[in-house]
Amino acid sequence: MDHIVILDSRQEAALKAVADKFIRLHNGDPVKALKEMIVLNGHLQDELDTLKRKASN
């Protein structure tokens, strides 16, 4: 891990609410939701890496 995030109780509750909603969008399947989130994060990381390369040129 590159960075550890520490959340307060309010942030933790907000994160849980979003996670629960995301799992509901995937028909209550947490594994399917997690796989989708990994794919989405991969795409976002690729975009960030591209922007970072462009900014350094």
Side-chain angles (χ1 to χ4, degrees):
M1 285 230 156
D2 291 0
H3 185 75
I4 296 173
V5 176
I6 298 172
L7 304 175
D8 63 29
S9 60
R10 182 182 52 79
Q11 292 168 319
E12 182 69 32
L15 180 61
K16 181 164 180 359
V18 171
D20 289 343
K21 181 179 178 181
F22 197 71
I23 290 169
R24 280 193 306 277
L25 289 173
H26 290 84
N27 299 318
D29 186 340
V31 173
K32 186 176 177 183
L34 179 60
K35 288 178 182 179
E36 179 69 17
M37 187 56 64
I38 291 168
V39 169
L40 290 172
N41 284 339
H43 289 305
L44 290 173
Q45 188 62 55
D46 290 344
E47 289 183 34
L48 288 172
D49 291 343
T50 299
L51 290 172
K52 187 184 280 187
R53 279 193 303 275
K54 287 179 181 179
S56 67
N57 289 336

